[in-house]
């Protein structure tokens, strides 16, 4: 390798390149995008279609089914999931997670085209479908605009829109959303007595508003050489103009003209469209939410500073009583997270260098440590070029690679010290130390990098989430290989040439003599040694069965969310009252910094690992922020006790913020089939099983309970005699209830709805008086609703019908208590649930965390053989032999001898990140074994040593380099041992590597001797 000679001969060039690395690395660190968690594109969209007043079953058959048929033509669909409610259809389409993020927008354009083509098949009365492709957007900034009681909802909305418009102009903000906004309205309250006295029909009012707003122009005329457009100033755009609207006019007998204006027969008031289905409160105050999404690849910290400046300016402009509060502010969280990880990174560097200084001496330790720092700086440059952000996973990758980054330099420096002790000249020493080890170290480095390849190739969200580990580790390790062959020999020449290499101390000699004796005994008793090793492995695998399994551990975020469900069909006011009472209780507890209450739906996705709840008037959500995590468990217990005591009918689910990819519920069991009644019976059987388990809480189904509906039997004959049509009845019911939308006006650039309501006595619009609802037909007077009905009945029907891949599916959804593992809870009820008899045409399958875990475990294991094949090929190329690679790979499972006790010792579950750690550990093991086998082959083949003695000598000669490489990795990983996301992986690598290092140095030589029949006699 000529570049080695060039580097040794031209140290000035190497030093210049090192300076470039330092400057470029620092520059890259400043310019790199900074995020809290890795970005991954949520490949989901919603298609929402309104079919007013239709019941859920009709919506399913005539709207949802049409939409689902159209979506089936989209390629690469993972699944479709739909819900049909009264007057509302929602279909979620999820693409396969393997679809590249940059192609997603093309898919959504295709969805729009298919939906537009299918719209002609929708029934009369159905509103044009809307495709919401921003459903998967993640808003990292969640602000609450609050108002005192002195402000109206309309004023709060006005100020919220002003704040939103201002913040949307900030550089780095890509998308904005709002929550809890109300729709302004002008409410026309008809005076029933005046209308009847004048013989007016409310239809006249509707027609007047429609026609007055419809005609706004009157063609154009010629004026010389000009063409002049004509305009009429009849448009209604204020409340005053609406009051002056002429409803009716006629000439009296005395020739006078009677003009009836709208204000003569109705009171017009400002208000909002009711019921307000989505509301938000911040610490008890009425609020509206603003959600900001940063641009991809932007530096969220810089964006946050710009937003902070804007907020300071806004506070000066907003009136007293209007405030802007931070609920979830990613810039602050990113700053804290990156500072924490950078500190851990610095601590790892100090730890690794400290180990090197202790074991190798000051000069040698600093030479190796400098290569570590330069590798990190060079990796930062590559990350900037490859658009890899600084975030939790990429920073952790540095810590994971920390110990491995010095492995190559350790081997080179160790070889330099040994050769210098033997009296070899410095130039010859450097060439011998680098050229002899270059190819083995390249192969070992490539193998260590390839161990992370399966995590990168996973075609799932998790592949995008943890994929940067492979990139960062791979780049940094390859840079460390280049530096160990260029920078390390130059620095050795500079700082070790004039230094007298001390001879091996007597203490070291005693240590190596003991190691020789141990190796001698083990090699002499090969079968016993291997049998005991296999026994230890089997014991470890038995103990492995007792380790709890988990998909991803909870996050360390200082907060949690609470889901509140009341009976389906409940009034939104009931949900609001319960939510406000529970929120007030939580707010008054110690350690709570803020509580946000959202009713009617959850707030938009402000954190990547949460799933928003679809709109539902029976639902409320609390977003609780804590001063410290230590308050969490006690607070959650108190909350559950308070809710159970005050509102036993309310289902309460508490969720910690998760890591990784989100799930709707930790435990979900789905039943699919055609008949809703049978599906409910199957779900009830499953619910009974789940409720018996103490680890499971808040058991429900996504279909919820059936709702009560009033049904009037319409008489066509009676209606025709009264000159009343079904549409007249629908209008009457709306006007008698929440109000009928009769038009919209544009007031000062804002759209304001105009609602028509009957001014009735209190309680006259209740269900008991429904038959007295006045219905206007073609006559001058109204008739009660009962006059056109044969009968009135009350019945129960499905409030919502869920389907998955066009098949009706009911999902039993469960939370787990805070200290329980979902997989453990599922395992305890699995046998009883699988014994449920399924009629023909019905199926049962698991969703939730178990589904995600199985999907992702198989996704990573699918690529383990590919990475293993590449590793095996490299081993074959290195040793020109098949037997040795097979031996190396046969040794890998024995790492569980160290992995299992470590997880049991720390009480950690075996999760997905532990699997990643186990897979990456194989690369480290192979790398160490390669270094050992390379020395064994050199002593047997080149030095012609006795094979038995060569095994002992090779193992002893590699003790310092292999053990030191392992120790630096182990100590470098310690800062992550208590990290909630990487703790399991850290424990797996630390103790697995410790045991595997012992196995490499003392057991693998025995395995080698056993396979090649090397005994003491030979």
């Amino acid at each position: 390798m000529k570049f080695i000679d060039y580097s040794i001969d031209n140290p000035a060039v190497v030093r210049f390149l090192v300076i470039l690395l330092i400057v470029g690395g620092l520059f890259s660190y400043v310019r790199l995008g900074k995020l809290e968690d890795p970005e991954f594109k949520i490949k989901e969209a919603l298609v929402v279609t309104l079919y007013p007043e239709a019941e859920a079953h009709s919506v399913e058959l005539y709207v949802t089914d049409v939409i689902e048929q159209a979506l089936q033509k989209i390629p690469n669909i993972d699944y479709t999931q739909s819900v049909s409610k009264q007057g509302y259809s929602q279909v979620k389409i999820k693409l396969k997670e393997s679809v590249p993020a940059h192609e997603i927008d093309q898919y959504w354009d295709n969805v729009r085209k298919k939906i537009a083509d299918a719209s002609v098949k929708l029934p009369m009365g159905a509103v044009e479908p809307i495709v919401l492709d921003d459903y998967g957007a993640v808003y990292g900034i969640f602000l609450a605009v609050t108002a005192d009681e002195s402000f109206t909802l309309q004023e709060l909305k006005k100020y919220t829109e002003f704040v939103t418009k201002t913040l949307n102009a900030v550089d780095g903000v890509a998308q904005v959303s709002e929550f809890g906004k109300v729709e302004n309205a002008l409410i026309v309250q008809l005076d029933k007595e005046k209308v009847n006295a004048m013989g007016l029909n409310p239809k006249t009012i509707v027609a007047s508003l429609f026609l007055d707003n419809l005609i706004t122009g009157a063609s154009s005329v010629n004026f010389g050489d000009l063409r002049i457009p004509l305009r009429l100033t009849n448009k209604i755009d204020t409340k005053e103009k609406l009051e002056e609207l002429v409803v009716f006019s006629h000439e009296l007998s005395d020739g006078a003209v009677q003009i009836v204006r709208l204000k003569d027969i109705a009171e017009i008031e400002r208000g909002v469209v009711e019921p307000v289905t989505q509301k938000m409160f911040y610490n008890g105050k009425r609020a509206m939410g603003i959600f900001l999404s940063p641009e991809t690849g932007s530096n969220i910290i810089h964006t946050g500073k710009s937003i902070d400046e804007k907020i300071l300016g806004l506070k000066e402009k907003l009136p007293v009583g209007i405030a802007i509060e931070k609920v979830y502010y990613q810039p602050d969280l990113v700053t804290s997270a990156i500072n924490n990880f950078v500190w851990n990174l610095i601590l790892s560097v100090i730890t690794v260098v400290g180990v090197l200084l202790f074991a190798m001496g000051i000069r040698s330790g600093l030479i190796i440590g400098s290569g570590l720092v330069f590798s990190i700086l060079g990796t930062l440059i590559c990350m900037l070029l490859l658009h890899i952000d600084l975030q939790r996973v990429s920073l952790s990758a540095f810590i994971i690679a920390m110990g491995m980054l010095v492995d190559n330099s350790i081997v080179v420096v160790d070889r330099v010290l040994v050769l210098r002790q033997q009296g070899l000249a410095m130039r010859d020493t450097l060439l011998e130390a680098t050229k002899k080890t270059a190819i083995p170290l390249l192969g070992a480095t490539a193998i260590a990098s390839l161990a992370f390849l399966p995590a990168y190739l996973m075609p799932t969200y998790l592949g995008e989430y943890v994929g940067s580990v492979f990139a960062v580790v791979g780049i940094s390790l390859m840079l460390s290989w280049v530096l160990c062959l260029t920078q390390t020999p130059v620095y050795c020449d500079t700082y070790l040439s004039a230094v007298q290499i001390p001879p091996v101390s007597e203490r070291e000699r005693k240590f190596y003599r003991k190691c020789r004796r141990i190796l001698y005994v083990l090699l002499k008793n090969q079968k016993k040694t291997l049998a005991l090793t296999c026994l230890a492995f089997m014991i470890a695998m038995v103990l492995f069965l007792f380790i709890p399994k988990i998909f991803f551990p909870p996050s360390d975020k200082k907060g949690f969310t609470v889901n509140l469900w009341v009976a389906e069909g409940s009034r939104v006011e009931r949900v609001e009252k319960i939510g406000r009472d529970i929120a007030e209780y939580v707010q008054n507890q110690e350690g709570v910094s803020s509580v946000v209450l959202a009713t009617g739906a959850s707030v938009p996705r402000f954190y990547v690992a949460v799933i928003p709840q679809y709109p539902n008037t029976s639902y409320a959500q609390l977003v609780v922020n804590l001063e410290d995590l230590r308050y969490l468990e006690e607070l959650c217990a108190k909350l559950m006790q308070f809710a159970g005591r005050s509102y036993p009918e309310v289902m309460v689910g508490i969720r910690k913020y998760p890591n990784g990819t989100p799930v709707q519920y930790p435990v979900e069991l789905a039943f699919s089939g055609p008949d809703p009644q049978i599906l409910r019976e199957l779900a009830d059987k499953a619910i009974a099983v789940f409720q018996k388990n103490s680890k499971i809480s808040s058991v429900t189904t996504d279909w919820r309970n059936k709702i009560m509906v009033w049904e009037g039997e319409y008489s066509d004959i009676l209606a025709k005699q009264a000159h009343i049509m079904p549409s007249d009845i629908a209008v009457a019911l709306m006007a008698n209830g929440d109000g009928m939308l009769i038009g919209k006006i544009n007031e000062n650039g804002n759209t304001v709805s105009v609602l028509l309501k009957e001014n009735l006595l209190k309680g006259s619009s209740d269900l008991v008086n429904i038959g007295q609802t006045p219905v206007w037909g073609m006559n001058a007077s109204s008739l009660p609703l009962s006059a056109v009905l044969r009968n009135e009945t009350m019945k129960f029907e499905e409030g919502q019908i869920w389907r998955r891949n066009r098949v009706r599916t009911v999902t039993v959804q469960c939370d787990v208590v805070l200290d329980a593992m979902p997989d453990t809870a599922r395992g305890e009820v699995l046998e009883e649930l699988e014994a449920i008899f399924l009629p023909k045409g019905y199926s049962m399958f698991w969703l939730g965390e178990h589904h995600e875990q199985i999907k992702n475990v198989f996704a990573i294991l699918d690529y383990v053989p590919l990475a293993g094949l590449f590793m095996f090929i490299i081993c074959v190329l290195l040793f020109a032999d098949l037997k040795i690679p097979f031996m190396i790979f046969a040794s890998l499972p024995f790492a569980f001898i160290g992995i299992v006790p470590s997880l049991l010792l720390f009480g950690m579950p075996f999760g997905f990140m532990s699997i990643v750690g186990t897979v990456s550990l194989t690369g480290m093991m192979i790398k160490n074994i390669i270094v050992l086998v390379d020395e064994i082959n050199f002593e047997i083949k080149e030095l012609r040593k006795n094979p038995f003695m060569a095994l002992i000598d090779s193992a002893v000669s590699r003790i310092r380099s292999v053990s030191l490489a392992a120790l630096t990795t182990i100590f470098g990983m310690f800062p992550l041992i208590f990290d909630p996301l990487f703790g399991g992986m850290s424990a797996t690598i630390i103790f697995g590597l410790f045991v595997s290092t012992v196995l490499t140095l003392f057991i693998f030589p025995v395995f080698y001797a056993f396979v090649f029949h090397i005994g003491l006699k030979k």
Side-chain angles (χ1 to χ4, degrees):
M1 294 185 176
K2 294 184 179 180
F3 73 92
I4 296 177
D5 299 84
Y6 182 84
S7 301
I8 295 172
D9 293 336
N10 299 277
V13 175
V14 174
R15 292 192 182 95
F16 172 73
L17 294 176
V18 166
I19 293 173
L20 288 182
L21 269 182
I22 296 172
V23 175
L26 295 175
F27 173 79
S28 299
Y29 176 78
V30 175
R31 294 295 301 273
L32 274 170
K34 295 176 177 63
L35 295 172
E36 182 183 12
D37 287 281
E39 286 185 319
F40 59 88
K41 189 81 169 179
I42 304 293
K43 302 172 177 70
E44 298 173 3
L46 301 180
V47 181
V48 176
T49 311
L50 301 181
Y51 188 20
E53 304 308 316
E55 43 93 18
H57 184 59
S58 298
V59 172
E60 177 198 17
L61 295 181
Y62 304 124
V63 177
T64 301
D65 196 59
V66 173
I67 299 298
E68 287 178 335
Q69 284 186 34
L71 293 178
Q72 275 190 325
K73 301 171 185 177
I74 305 295
N76 291 321
I77 288 183
D78 187 4
Y79 66 85
T80 58
Q81 183 186 52
S82 66
V83 57
S84 302
K85 303 180 183 180
Q86 179 176 334
Y88 180 86
S89 166
Q90 177 181 286
V91 182
K92 181 174 81 173
I93 173 174
K94 181 183 178 184
L95 300 176
K96 291 180 180 178
E97 295 178 11
S98 57
V99 174
H102 65 272
E103 297 180 7
I104 299 299
D105 290 339
Q106 298 177 13
Y107 279 89
W108 300 150
D109 289 341
N110 197 9
V111 167
R112 288 188 177 87
K113 293 175 184 177
K114 298 298 182 186
I115 296 300
D117 294 341
S119 297
V120 297
K121 300 178 182 178
L122 295 175
M124 290 289 293
V127 180
E128 188 77 15
I130 301 173
V131 179
L132 303 176
D133 60 357
D134 60 348
Y135 169 72
V138 179
Y139 303 92
I141 298 173
F142 175 12
L143 305 173
V145 181
T146 65
D148 291 341
E149 295 295 332
S150 59
F151 292 91
T152 64
L153 289 177
Q154 295 93 322
E155 290 173 325
L156 175 58
K157 178 186 178 183
K158 179 182 71 174
Y159 290 119
T160 301
E161 290 175 342
F162 171 66
V163 174
T164 301
K165 184 177 180 181
T166 303
L167 297 181
N168 193 25
V170 174
D171 289 338
V173 174
Q175 194 171 351
V176 177
S177 180
E178 295 173 324
F179 181 86
K181 285 181 64 176
V182 294
E183 186 177 347
N184 293 336
L186 290 172
I187 301 172
V188 180
Q189 291 271 11
L190 288 180
D191 190 315
K192 183 179 178 182
E193 294 180 357
K194 290 182 179 180
V195 171
N196 289 337
M198 295 181 182
L200 294 176
N201 190 322
K203 291 182 178 180
T204 306
I205 302 172
V206 178
S208 299
L209 180 63
F210 176 74
L211 294 174
D212 273 41
N213 263 349
L214 180 66
I215 304 173
T216 59
S219 186
S220 301
V221 297
N222 294 328
F223 181 69
D225 294 333
L226 301 176
R227 184 73 172 168
I228 305 299
L230 305 179
R231 296 283 184 268
L232 296 179
T233 59
N234 64 313
K235 188 173 183 179
I236 300 174
D237 53 11
T238 65
K239 175 188 173 186
E240 290 71 24
K241 288 184 179 180
L242 181 62
E243 291 175 332
E244 296 296 328
L245 174 68
V246 176
V247 176
F248 178 77
S249 67
H250 69 95
E251 187 175 348
L252 301 177
S253 57
D254 59 359
V257 178
Q258 181 186 22
I259 297 176
V260 179
R261 291 179 171 83
L262 186 58
K263 66 181 180 180
D264 297 329
I265 58 172
E267 292 184 7
I268 303 176
E269 299 176 346
R270 292 192 181 274
V272 296
V273 177
E274 293 182 334
V276 180
T277 56
Q278 295 182 5
K279 292 184 179 180
M280 190 176 120
F281 301 87
Y282 177 87
N283 286 346
K285 290 184 178 181
R286 191 73 170 89
M288 293 183 184
I290 300 176
F291 299 81
L292 307 176
S293 176
E295 292 179 352
T296 302
S298 64
N299 189 324
I300 187 66
I301 297 177
H302 292 166
T303 303
K305 290 179 180 177
S306 300
I307 293 174
D308 286 336
E309 292 174 2
K310 288 288 185 182
I311 290 176
L312 286 175
L314 285 168
K315 287 181 177 179
E316 297 176 358
K317 299 177 182 179
L318 294 174
V320 176
I322 300 292
I324 303 173
E325 306 287 352
K326 295 178 180 179
V327 181
Y328 185 91
Y329 203 64
Q330 195 180 63
D332 291 345
L333 295 172
V334 169
T335 302
S336 175
I338 288 183
N339 288 343
N340 183 46
F341 267 102
V342 168
W343 172 247
N344 284 337
L345 184 61
I346 294 172
L347 185 62
S348 294
V349 172
I350 294 173
T351 304
V352 170
V353 173
V355 172
L356 292 172
L357 294 176
F358 177 78
M360 302 285 291
I362 294 178
R363 291 180 179 246
S364 300
L366 290 177
I367 291 172
I368 299 171
S370 65
L372 165 64
V373 175
F374 299 151
S375 297
I376 294 174
L377 293 173
T379 305
L380 291 175
I381 298 173
C382 296
M383 289 173 65
L384 181 64
L385 297 176
L386 297 175
H387 305 290
I388 300 173
D389 298 321
L390 278 179
Q391 24 79 1
R392 180 196 299 268
V393 174
S394 61
L395 282 168
S396 298
F398 278 117
I399 300 177
I400 293 168
M402 189 66 58
M404 294 186 287
L405 291 179
V406 297
D407 289 359
N408 294 329
S409 293
I410 287 174
V411 172
V412 172
V413 174
D414 182 60
R415 188 68 179 167
V416 168
L417 294 176
V418 171
L419 294 175
R420 288 287 289 158
Q421 284 176 339
Q422 296 174 2
L424 204 64
M426 178 55 80
R427 177 176 172 77
D428 295 334
T429 295
L430 297 177
L431 291 175
E432 171 72 15
T434 51
K435 289 190 174 182
K436 177 182 178 295
T437 59
I439 298 301
L441 288 180
L442 175 61
T445 301
I447 286 173
S449 302
L450 286 170
F452 296 89
L453 181 63
Y456 176 77
L457 295 178
M458 287 172 59
T460 63
Y461 288 153
L462 271 184
E464 296 181 51
Y465 188 83
V466 302
S468 57
V469 171
F470 170 72
V472 174
V473 172
I475 292 170
S476 59
L477 286 181
M478 295 310 296
L479 281 174
S480 74
W481 177 78
V482 173
L483 288 169
C484 86
L485 301 178
T486 54
Q487 174 258 337
T488 299
V490 169
Y491 278 38
C492 285
D493 187 27
T494 303
Y495 299 107
L496 296 181
S497 293
V499 176
Q500 183 68 33
I501 306 298
V504 179
S505 66
E506 185 59 30
R507 187 173 58 180
E508 287 180 281
R509 292 178 186 276
K510 288 182 179 180
F511 172 75
Y512 288 133
R513 281 199 296 268
K514 288 181 181 179
C515 292
R516 284 177 175 277
R517 292 194 193 102
I518 294 172
L519 282 165
Y520 178 84
V521 172
L522 295 176
L523 285 167
K524 187 178 178 181
N525 300 276
Q526 296 175 16
K527 291 183 179 180
K528 291 180 181 179
T529 301
L530 295 177
L532 289 174
T533 305
C534 292
L535 178 61
F537 173 71
M538 288 187 287
I539 293 173
M541 298 314 295
V542 171
L543 293 175
F544 182 74
L545 300 175
F546 297 95
I547 296 177
K549 311 301 186 296
I550 192 173
F551 179 43
F552 261 91
S555 171
D556 58 351
K557 293 185 182 299
K558 299 175 185 177
F560 59 95
T561 59
V562 183
N563 295 325
L564 305 175
W565 289 96
V566 299
E568 192 75 11
S570 298
R571 293 179 59 182
V572 69
E573 292 83 2
R574 173 67 176 164
V575 180
E576 180 183 333
K577 180 184 182 306
I578 294 173
R580 295 192 72 171
D581 286 349
I582 295 177
E584 183 181 2
Y585 174 80
V586 173
Q587 185 184 339
N588 292 329
Q589 300 304 306
E590 182 185 5
V592 176
S593 57
S594 68
V595 180
V596 170
L597 168 66
T599 63
S602 66
V603 295
R605 195 190 311 256
F606 59 90
Y607 171 53
V608 69
V610 297
I611 298 178
Q613 175 63 46
Y614 300 134
N616 191 312
T617 55
S618 303
Y619 171 82
Q621 180 192 54
L622 270 63
V623 180
V624 183
N625 288 329
L626 302 176
E627 296 171 1
D628 196 277
L629 266 180
R630 70 177 186 272
Y631 297 108
L632 192 145
E633 293 194 9
E634 181 182 356
L635 175 59
C636 290
K638 289 182 178 179
L639 190 157
M640 292 298 290
Q641 291 175 0
F642 174 79
R645 182 174 62 251
S646 305
Y647 302 102
E649 75 281 9
V650 177
M651 191 185 74
V652 181
I654 297 177
R655 302 281 183 82
K656 294 181 181 179
Y657 289 113
N659 277 314
T661 56
V663 292
Q664 191 81 46
Y665 282 81
V667 180
E668 288 185 317
L669 179 64
F671 297 92
S672 289
D675 190 339
Q677 186 58 38
I678 295 178
L679 289 176
R680 281 195 176 273
E681 292 172 0
L682 293 171
D684 289 340
K685 293 179 182 178
I687 289 173
V689 175
F690 281 124
Q691 287 178 335
K692 291 188 295 185
N693 191 283
S694 60
K695 293 184 175 68
I696 293 175
S697 65
S698 305
V699 185
T700 184
T701 70
D702 53 358
W703 287 43
R704 314 291 297 162
N705 57 279
K706 291 185 177 182
I707 61 172
M708 184 183 295
V709 297
W710 173 90
E711 191 173 85
E713 187 178 351
Y714 175 75
S715 172
D716 188 58
I717 296 175
L718 295 175
K720 287 291 190 292
Q721 291 174 350
H723 304 289
I724 290 175
M725 297 181 293
S727 60
D728 297 325
I729 298 175
V731 169
L733 291 173
M734 285 189 288
N736 199 43
D738 297 325
M740 175 193 173
L741 179 64
I742 60 174
K744 293 188 177 184
I745 66 173
N746 193 334
E747 186 178 29
N748 297 325
N750 299 315
T751 301
V752 180
S753 299
V754 181
L755 299 179
L756 179 66
K757 285 188 177 183
E758 294 276 1
N759 190 6
L760 303 171
L761 296 175
K762 184 178 180 180
S764 60
S765 61
D766 289 345
L767 184 62
V768 292
N769 298 310
I770 194 72
Q772 302 303 314
T773 302
V775 181
W776 295 85
M778 301 300 294
N779 299 324
S781 60
S782 63
L783 288 175
L785 176 61
S786 58
V788 294
L789 298 179
R790 290 196 190 96
N791 191 22
E792 301 176 34
T793 59
M794 299 292 296
K795 69 173 187 177
F796 287 93
E797 66 179 30
E798 299 292 353
Q800 46 187 328
I801 300 172
W802 288 81
R803 311 204 313 184
R804 189 179 180 91
N805 294 330
R806 301 190 64 196
V807 180
R808 287 172 176 164
T809 303
V810 59
T811 304
V812 182
Q813 301 168 321
C814 314
D815 284 313
V816 295
V817 296
L818 287 179
D819 58 344
M821 301 289 179
D823 194 69
T824 303
R826 173 186 167 275
E828 292 179 0
V829 297
L830 180 60
E831 184 177 352
E832 194 172 352
L833 288 170
E834 290 186 340
I836 295 176
F837 173 75
L838 298 176
K840 186 177 180 180
Y842 292 80
S843 61
M844 179 179 74
F845 52 94
W846 289 95
L847 295 173
E849 191 170 295
H850 174 74
H851 172 75
E852 287 296 317
Q853 184 173 1
I854 294 298
K855 178 180 71 177
N856 285 285
V857 168
F858 276 99
I860 193 171
L861 292 181
D862 282 346
Y863 289 94
V864 169
L866 177 63
L869 177 62
F870 287 149
M871 294 178 184
F872 191 85
I873 291 172
I874 292 173
C875 289
V876 172
L877 294 176
L878 283 175
F879 301 113
D881 184 88
L882 287 176
K883 190 178 289 186
I884 291 177
F886 276 116
M887 291 169 56
I888 293 174
F889 277 78
S891 305
L892 301 181
F894 290 89
F896 276 93
I897 298 174
I899 293 173
V900 173
S902 69
L903 296 177
L904 290 172
L905 176 66
F906 285 94
M908 293 181 175
F910 189 81
F912 179 81
M913 294 308 295
S914 300
I915 296 175
V916 175
T918 303
V919 174
S920 61
L921 180 61
T922 61
M924 302 177 196
M925 290 180 64
I926 294 174
K927 184 176 183 180
N928 287 338
I929 296 175
I930 286 175
V931 173
L932 174 62
V933 173
D934 179 64
E935 184 65 21
I936 291 173
N937 290 342
F938 176 76
E939 297 209 5
I940 293 176
K941 296 178 181 179
E942 300 295 330
L943 301 182
R944 304 291 183 180
K945 279 189 178 183
N946 175 279
F948 187 87
M949 296 308 298
L951 288 174
I952 296 176
D953 292 343
S954 299
V956 171
S957 68
R958 287 304 183 195
I959 283 178
R960 182 164 64 174
S961 59
V962 171
S963 60
L964 193 55
L967 283 175
T968 53
T969 301
I970 289 170
F971 281 101
M973 290 291 293
F974 261 114
L976 290 180
I977 193 71
F978 296 110
D979 183 85
L981 178 61
F982 293 97
M985 184 181 72
S986 179
T988 298
I989 293 177
I990 287 173
F991 291 90
L993 185 58
F994 174 78
V995 171
S996 67
T997 301
V998 175
L999 294 174
T1000 298
L1001 293 172
F1002 293 95
I1003 305 301
F1004 187 82
V1006 178
F1007 188 27
Y1008 188 100
F1010 181 79
V1011 171
F1012 286 97
H1013 307 290
I1014 298 174
L1016 179 59
K1017 292 181 180 181
K1018 294 184 179 181

